């Protein structure tokens, strides 16, 4: 993973799972870091289209965003879920943690 030369807030990464249903598939991800990072998590977009319950295909003009607890990326549900304490984003997470 590395940032674009002209935009440090947009990183591109390629990962290739070694096991599981998507083994051998090259997955391209785009991480977009907000101005208030690390207080807020990046948005993670999966550019390789795959059917998966954690990939939101198209909501509000946003396509193929990854929605997992550690990213607190619940924009498609209308916001954060305050009933789930101690879950979600932590400033201790790194790009490696996300990938």
């Amino acid at each position: 993973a590395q940032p674009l030369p002209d935009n440090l807030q947009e990183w591109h990464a390629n990962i290739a799972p070694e096991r599981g249903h998507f083994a051998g598939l090259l997955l391209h991800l785009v991480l977009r870091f907000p101005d208030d990072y690390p207080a807020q998590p990046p948005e993670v977009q999966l550019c390789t289209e795959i059917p998966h319950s954690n990939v939101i295909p198209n909501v509000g003009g946003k396509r193929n965003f990854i929605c997992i607890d550690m990213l607190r990326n619940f924009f498609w549900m209308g916001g954060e879920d305050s009933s789930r304490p101690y879950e979600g984003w932590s400033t201790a997470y790194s790009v490696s943690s996300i990938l």
Side-chain angles (χ1 to χ4, degrees), residues 8-92:
L8 293 178
Q9 289 179 290
E10 183 172 318
W11 287 46
H12 288 242
N14 292 314
I15 58 175
E18 293 179 2
R19 293 182 300 272
H21 187 69
F22 300 111
L25 184 65
L26 183 64
L27 303 173
H28 182 80
L29 303 160
V30 176
L31 293 81
R32 292 186 182 92
F33 294 87
D35 290 335
D36 55 353
Y37 176 82
Q40 294 298 316
E43 286 186 337
V44 180
Q45 181 181 14
L46 180 63
C47 297
T48 308
E49 294 201 20
I50 60 169
H52 193 279
S53 60
N54 290 99
V55 178
I56 310 306
N58 190 358
V59 174
K62 295 186 178 197
R63 294 185 41 79
N64 295 334
F65 277 82
I66 295 180
C67 180
I68 57 175
D69 239 14
M70 75 179 290
L71 295 175
R72 287 190 323 186
N73 196 5
F74 298 117
F75 65 87
W76 59 277
M77 290 175 33
E80 301 298 325
D81 184 354
S82 61
S83 69
R84 299 168 68 177
Y86 311 111
E87 294 184 17
W89 179 249
S90 167
T91 56

